[in-house]
Each structure stands twice: as C-alpha cells, then as structure tokens.
Amino acid sequence: ANLKSVSRIALIELPPDRSFTFEDFQSTQSRFIKKQTEELVIKNDEIERGVNELCDMVRMYPRENPEMGLTDPVVVAFTKHYAKLMYQAILTATKKSFNAMKKRLGSRSSGGFLFVERPFFDVDVELTVPNVSMNPSLEDIQGAINSTAKKVLKVSESLHMWGARASGRKFYDWIASDKEIVKSVLLLTGSIEGTKAQVMDYIDTFKRFDFLYMNDLQSEYAAFMKTNPSLESFENELKKYMAIEEEIQRIPPVHNIGAMSLETQPMKYS
C-alpha cells in the first residue's frame, strides 16, 4: 500500500480551474514540492524500516529446522527487490508529474477568448512606451517553468537509497538518468517556445495604435487649429478619435494563447 501511495503522489499542483500569476506560480509550486518531498522522505524511511523489520522477524522466528535460517544473501536479494520497487514508485510519481506539466502547459494551435481548461498563466499586456509588452515576459515564464521542473526532478535528491546512508547515494542518481525523464525535462524547457510566434503576432496587432503615444498629439492639434478648420472638419476629426477610442474599447479583455491568458486591461487604460 505504501509503495502504491508513493507512485500516486503528485509533485506539482496543477488545478485545471485555476490560473497563476508569475509570482504565485513560483511560490505555490515551491511550497507544494517541499511538502510532498517531506512526505516522500517519511514514506521512504517507513518502507525501508518495514522491510528490515520483516527480515529480522523471519530471522528470529523459531524454526523446526534452524539450519535453514534466513541467510545474508537472501536478505540482501529481498531488500534489493523492494528497493527497486521503491525506485519504480518514485520514478512513476516523477513521470506523472512531468506529464501533467506538459499537458497543462502544452501549446494550443489557436488563440481566443475562452477555453474549457483555463490557461495556466495570467499575463498583463502593458504599454511601456515605445512598446507594447508582456509582464511577465515569455523568458520569465519559461524560466519559472524550468526552475519548477528542476525542483520536481530534485525531489529524489532527498531520498536516500536503502542501505546507502553512509555513502550518500540518492535515488536521484537513477531518476535523473532515466531516458523518459530526460526527454520530459528537455520538452518542458522549450514549452513556451511553441507559442512565441503567436504571442508576437498578437502583440503586433496593437501597432496600429502606436501613433497615439509615439506622435506629439498636442503639436498635431495645434497644427490642425492653425488651418482654421470649419465646424465640419472639426467634427470629422473628433469622430476619427472617437472611432479609435471605440475600437480600443472593443479589444477583448482577455486573449488566450497556449498556457497564457493575456489580459489587455492594463494597456487599454494606460
């Protein structure tokens, strides 16, 4: 039962109905991984102790044929068998956690207003003259994913191999060399790259408004007034800017791309 519970332990918290800010993602995952690591350390000790106690009980149990007692090689083989099962359970938990990350962070081919499953990151689209940019940046988001993936992998650094306390060997030595684990880590380190072009294309759609903050509108207004505009010209100019304001207001407050929910309100009201 303990081995099964180890294999089912999630090493990362990924609720499907919740989005995270950049800071909240980092702090939430760090706390969760720390808590799960502590639980695994306890279970690793419990299972190793249980196997050792079982061997001691068999050794001490009165037998009609004492010459057929439990030999050291048999004990070693028995312990190694369960140590391998423990490794498999830790490996399964690690793989499941990485697969859950890949699924939750996986790129979607289309962007839009709503998804059945909420995007993972809340990102603000901001105007920082002369550019429209994201906060946090794609690089920051990818860095947080990379950091979290490393923390998940290093959970097994806290789990000593059975009978190896003196040598300091950890289950991490085996986990980190597993081909599927290595592949998962590599995929996660590029998980945001697949949406980069889509995000940049979306950000570029706001360039049509750059004259509002790149041009000197006061000078343009003064130049316009020097032409002694007629009432009709004045009304037409006013309508032009009112139409631009209405177009900005029609920009959806949220645009989802891949694992990110891009929130446009900060830019619209800047």
Side-chain angles (χ1 to χ4, degrees):
N2 260 341
L3 286 169
K4 281 188 177 180
S5 67
V6 167
S7 67
R8 292 170 181 164
I9 287 178
L11 303 179
I12 188 168
E13 189 175 27
L14 305 169
D17 58 346
R18 178 183 174 187
S19 294
F20 290 90
T21 63
F22 173 69
E23 295 82 3
D24 190 27
F25 173 75
Q26 290 184 302
S27 59
T28 298
Q29 303 312 325
S30 292
R31 286 195 303 270
F32 188 79
I33 292 169
K34 183 175 183 292
K35 179 174 73 73
Q36 300 301 80
T37 300
E38 291 169 352
E39 183 177 347
L40 278 173
V41 168
I42 293 170
K43 287 191 177 296
N44 187 39
D45 288 342
E46 283 180 350
I47 297 170
E48 181 186 18
R49 186 168 57 249
V51 169
N52 291 337
E53 288 175 353
L54 179 60
C55 291
D56 290 341
M57 285 175 60
V58 172
R59 272 177 167 157
M60 297 173 63
Y61 191 80
R63 302 177 65 89
E64 293 181 2
N65 48 347
E67 69 280 358
M68 298 296 293
L70 202 61
T71 62
D72 288 343
V74 172
V75 171
V76 170
F78 182 79
T79 304
K80 279 186 176 180
H81 172 71
Y82 275 92
K84 189 172 182 180
L85 291 179
M86 183 65 189
Y87 157 70
Q88 291 291 345
I90 299 167
L91 181 64
T92 298
T94 306
K95 284 181 178 179
K96 283 182 178 178
S97 297
F98 279 141
N99 288 337
M101 283 185 72
K102 286 189 291 183
K103 180 182 176 183
R104 195 77 170 82
L105 296 168
S107 300
R108 299 178 173 100
S109 59
S110 61
F113 184 67
L114 289 175
F115 281 111
V116 175
E117 188 176 71
R118 291 187 64 177
F120 203 47
F121 288 101
D122 286 329
V123 182
D124 288 339
V125 178
E126 299 178 343
L127 172 60
T128 50
V129 178
N131 300 310
V132 174
S133 59
M134 291 171 50
N135 184 22
S137 67
L138 286 174
E139 291 74 19
D140 287 339
I141 293 172
Q142 186 63 70
I145 294 169
N146 295 353
S147 174
T148 300
K150 288 178 183 176
K151 288 176 182 176
V152 169
L153 182 59
K154 288 189 174 183
V155 165
S156 53
E157 274 193 341
S158 299
L159 306 175
H160 68 269
M161 286 188 181
W162 295 3
R165 290 178 187 272
S167 65
R169 293 186 66 200
K170 309 289 185 179
F171 278 110
Y172 173 83
D173 301 334
W174 290 353
I175 300 290
S177 61
D178 181 85
K179 289 182 180 179
E180 284 189 43
I181 293 294
V182 173
K183 182 180 177 182
S184 293
V185 172
L186 289 174
L187 287 172
L188 285 168
T189 56
S191 56
I192 296 298
E193 189 65 27
T195 60
K196 187 173 183 179
Q198 233 181 319
V199 170
M200 292 299 101
D201 287 344
Y202 178 67
I203 295 296
D204 284 347
T205 63
F206 300 112
K207 285 184 176 179
R208 65 186 187 275
F209 302 116
D210 61 5
F211 70 93
L212 292 172
Y213 50 87
M214 296 292 285
N215 297 353
D216 186 345
L217 296 182
Q218 285 188 334
S219 297
E220 289 188 5
Y221 176 74
F224 173 72
M225 293 304 294
K226 283 181 180 179
T227 65
N228 295 317
S230 64
L231 181 59
E232 183 180 0
S233 297
F234 196 87
E235 286 180 347
N236 287 339
E237 192 73 7
L238 183 60
K239 286 179 181 178
K240 182 180 78 172
Y241 282 98
M242 287 178 66
I244 293 169
E245 182 180 2
E246 288 175 4
E247 186 179 1
I248 292 173
Q249 291 304 317
R250 285 197 299 270
I251 296 172
V254 174
H255 186 82
N256 296 339
I257 299 178
M260 293 168 288
S261 173
L262 277 62
E263 302 185 6
T264 60
Q265 298 296 78
M267 179 204 64
K268 288 167 68 174
Y269 294 107
S270 59

